[in-house]
Amino acid sequence: CLNEMLLLNKTYLLLCTGNGGMRKSEFLDAIALNTALSEGWKWAFFSPENFPISEHIKKHTERFIGKGLWQMTPADVEKGIAAINDYFTWLDPPEDKLTVAALLESIQEIKDRDGLDAYILDPWNEIDHSQYSHMRDDQYLSMILTTIRRFNKKNNLLGCIVIHPKGLTRDKDGNYPVPTLSDCHGGIMWRNKADYGLCLHRHDMSKDTATLYIQKIKFKSQGSIGTMDFNYDKASGRFKHIDAREYTIPSEILSPF
């Protein structure tokens, strides 16, 4: 259903924001699995949000099989892990290799060794930026995001980064407003550098419904600005369009974008 509004292309930069607990990481993981199964895309993850890596593998296995781990047979688990290993690789660098430059070097090695189509850095604030602490946030972002964009173009990769917004004030009912990329540390520079700008937001935290806000599309061939509502299945970690009947994933490889 996302193809109606969002067409992902390699060489570009996708930025996704949202307040805590909105399931933005889960949503990008679902996109990764769907593009792996439908397009044959290979993904690399640097995802401290999901450390240890074994926990992230569990989530992807549940999403692939469509069941919670407690509902699976050993054969289900084996099938899920085998499928995930075909498409996904994880980065778990030591403390002295957490800079953007070091992570991009690791991603380059994976691409050169195994082939790669896309990667996710989740979240931005778990990367070591101390080397540039003498710079203003906007100056640093302008420089480092340009470096990332050039890396993506050179290597024909889609790069995805998850960013947390700065502290936003709840309304009288205890709900957060919908953030934008400009609400993240560094402000407007995030929006300036994004090719795709997304936000996932739950207006009612008691419900398993989330709204995807497509806030920036650089080129009209990549999609359109707008919103789309999704339901989330806690057991499997799958999403579906709010009007869809079932939580499904692609079942065959289609031709690339």
Side-chain angles (χ1 to χ4, degrees):
C1 62
L2 260 182
N3 286 344
E4 299 173 15
M5 297 182 67
L6 186 69
L7 292 174
L8 299 180
N9 288 271
K10 289 182 279 188
T11 76
Y12 294 115
L13 178 62
L14 183 154
L15 303 179
C16 182
T17 191
N19 294 299
M22 299 296 170
R23 302 193 177 116
K24 53 189 177 293
S25 298
E26 296 273 350
F27 195 79
L28 281 184
D29 284 352
I31 287 177
L33 181 61
N34 279 22
T35 55
L37 297 177
S38 65
E39 313 299 335
W41 277 20
K42 292 186 176 183
W43 288 75
F45 296 89
F46 171 68
S47 187
E49 287 281 354
N50 289 289
F51 280 173
I53 290 173
S54 58
E55 292 300 320
H56 206 187
I57 293 173
K58 290 176 185 177
K59 287 183 178 181
H60 279 299
T61 301
E62 290 177 330
R63 191 170 291 113
F64 179 79
I65 297 297
K67 302 176 184 177
L69 278 176
W70 64 93
Q71 301 169 310
M72 292 187 203
T73 65
D76 286 334
V77 175
E78 184 175 345
K79 178 182 178 182
I81 291 176
I84 289 164
N85 284 339
D86 285 341
Y87 298 109
F88 295 163
T89 305
W90 278 265
L91 283 68
D92 188 9
E95 291 294 323
D96 62 342
K97 297 290 185 180
L98 291 175
T99 63
V100 169
L103 291 172
L104 295 183
E105 182 179 350
S106 295
I107 292 168
Q108 179 78 68
E109 290 173 356
I110 294 169
K111 177 177 173 58
D112 293 343
R113 184 184 67 238
D114 304 319
L116 196 67
D117 299 286
Y119 63 88
I120 295 175
L121 306 179
D122 179 18
W124 181 253
N125 64 339
E126 289 285 348
I127 299 173
D128 179 10
H129 308 288
S130 59
Q131 180 182 357
Y132 299 97
S133 59
H134 61 285
M135 299 176 68
R136 293 200 322 259
D137 282 352
D138 60 331
Q139 292 174 329
Y140 169 62
L141 282 175
S142 178
M143 180 270 296
I144 204 67
L145 293 179
T146 295
T147 298
I148 292 172
R149 285 163 56 89
R150 288 173 177 166
F151 175 83
N152 295 344
K153 184 176 181 179
K154 175 185 175 183
N155 289 284
N156 194 33
L157 295 171
L158 173 67
C160 306
I161 303 175
V162 176
I163 321 144
H164 296 309
K166 293 180 289 188
L168 300 176
T169 304
R170 295 175 186 260
D171 62 21
K172 60 182 178 60
D173 298 317
N175 297 313
Y176 285 109
V178 179
T180 69
L181 293 176
S182 300
D183 292 314
C184 302
H185 288 284
I188 194 65
M189 196 57 65
W190 286 112
R191 179 175 175 81
N192 288 348
K193 296 291 185 177
D195 296 301
Y196 304 93
L198 309 181
C199 173
L200 199 70
H201 190 79
R202 295 166 64 190
H203 290 274
D204 186 341
M205 296 294 285
S206 67
K207 298 179 180 179
D208 290 319
T209 301
T211 300
L212 177 68
Y213 288 82
I214 302 175
Q215 298 175 337
K216 181 180 179 182
I217 295 291
K218 187 171 184 179
F219 300 109
K220 62 182 180 181
S221 61
Q222 297 171 331
S224 58
I225 304 297
T227 64
M228 187 173 286
D229 293 325
F230 292 87
N231 286 335
Y232 174 78
D233 179 47
K234 287 182 179 178
S236 67
R238 290 183 179 183
F239 289 84
K240 71 175 182 66
H241 187 276
I242 197 167
D243 294 329
R245 295 180 61 184
E246 298 180 354
Y247 293 90
T248 59
I249 57 175
S251 58
E252 61 179 338
I253 299 291
L254 303 176
S255 59
F257 287 119

